Amino acid sequence: MAQLCEGCWNRLANEMALADGATAAPMPDPDPDDVAWFEPPVCPECGTPVRVCRTNYDRWVSLATVELPAKDVPEPLRWRLMPVAGRASIPTAMVAVRVRGIDPLPSEPVIPAHRMMCVTGEG
């Protein structure tokens, strides 16, 4: 398997992000000493809550907060959350992975990209 230099990897990841619609701003790292109430992120277009997740290629995507059957979600907007194991093989984080290759069963749950659910149609 080939390894890419930093510049080539960033170009490839940015192209993948544009194709997948993974253009959300990253979530800020929370300050561990901050005790203020933390609100979930909302779509700047429609104001509904979104789930902002890191992708498996280190970009960020806004996902809907509900799962839907795969038959109800267009193929380019299907995502899944996959656990990432830490050093002790215990899942410590989740990454968003586009559903590609093998189509899921029609009743299998997937998470749609928020732009499918956005009431403005631009999210």
Side-chain angles (χ1 to χ4, degrees):
M1 187 171 225
Q3 280 194 320
L4 300 175
C5 69
E6 183 82 20
C8 292
W9 165 248
N10 279 325
R11 274 193 299 283
L12 177 63
N14 289 339
E15 289 173 11
M16 289 171 47
L18 284 174
D20 291 344
T23 56
M27 292 291 297
D29 287 331
D31 181 5
D33 296 328
D34 188 7
V35 294
W37 187 259
F38 182 77
E39 293 290 332
V42 295
C43 172
E45 300 294 326
C46 67
T48 59
V50 294
R51 188 184 318 187
V52 178
C53 299
R54 181 185 302 268
T55 65
N56 56 328
Y57 47 88
D58 204 27
R59 298 302 184 264
W60 294 81
V61 63
S62 293
L63 301 177
T65 56
V66 297
E67 290 184 342
L68 295 174
K71 66 180 178 168
D72 296 337
V73 181
E75 184 180 338
L77 302 175
R78 295 175 184 164
W79 292 82
R80 284 207 176 99
L81 292 179
M82 303 298 291
V84 176
R87 291 184 187 172
S89 73
I90 298 172
T92 57
M94 301 292 269
V95 294
V97 178
R98 261 281 316 280
V99 177
R100 290 188 168 110
I102 300 173
D103 286 335
L105 295 173
S107 62
E108 198 171 340
V110 295
I111 302 171
H114 172 71
R115 61 187 169 151
M116 177 185 147
M117 310 290 279
C118 192
V119 294
T120 63
E122 299 172 12

